[in-house]
């Protein structure tokens, strides 16, 4: 699938930057676990490309700050039968 971990990490970073997606959505899209996406984007990417890591980190922090809102919307949808 991927030649190296670095290649996968860079593709994940590009996907998150382009779409603003969550770790969970990126994991599903790339067929890897949430833990792998998180480790790639929060630890490995910093070693490969610090500037790219800073941009991705900003998106991940925004998603983290908004997750309680998404959770509330999902619960509302569940109980409304949508």
């Amino acid at each position: 699938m991927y030649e190296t971990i670095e290649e996968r990490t860079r593709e994940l970073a590009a996907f998150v930057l382009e779409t603003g997606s969550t770790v969970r959505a990126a994991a599903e899209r790339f067929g890897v676990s949430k833990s792998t996406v998180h480790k790639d984007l929060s630890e490995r990417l910093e070693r490969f490309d610090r500037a790219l890591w800073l941009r991705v980190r900003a998106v991940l922090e925004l998603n983290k700050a908004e997750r309680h809102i998404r959770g509330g919307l999902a619960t509302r949808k569940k109980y409304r039968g949508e």
Side-chain angles (χ1 to χ4, degrees):
M1 203 148 118
Y2 298 102
E3 300 257 341
T4 64
I5 292 173
E6 182 177 354
E7 181 181 326
R8 180 187 66 214
T9 301
R10 289 184 187 278
E11 286 189 32
L12 279 166
F15 177 74
V16 168
L17 287 175
E18 288 172 14
T19 63
S21 76
T22 62
V23 168
R24 183 176 296 222
E28 187 175 319
R29 167 75 165 69
F30 283 83
V32 296
S33 70
K34 293 184 303 181
S35 299
T36 298
V37 173
H38 186 266
K39 186 168 184 95
D40 281 355
L41 297 180
S42 64
E43 295 177 21
R44 292 183 178 126
L45 185 59
E46 183 178 15
R47 289 186 295 231
F48 302 141
D49 187 339
R50 184 161 172 78
L52 181 58
W53 174 75
L54 290 170
R55 292 175 38 217
V56 169
R57 191 176 77 168
V59 173
L60 295 178
E61 289 296 324
L62 177 64
N63 286 339
K64 185 176 178 182
E66 294 175 344
R67 74 179 169 195
H68 68 283
I69 296 168
R70 285 190 303 275
L73 293 174
T75 301
R76 173 197 239 175
K77 186 176 180 179
K78 175 182 173 182
Y79 287 105
R80 286 190 171 175
E82 295 176 10

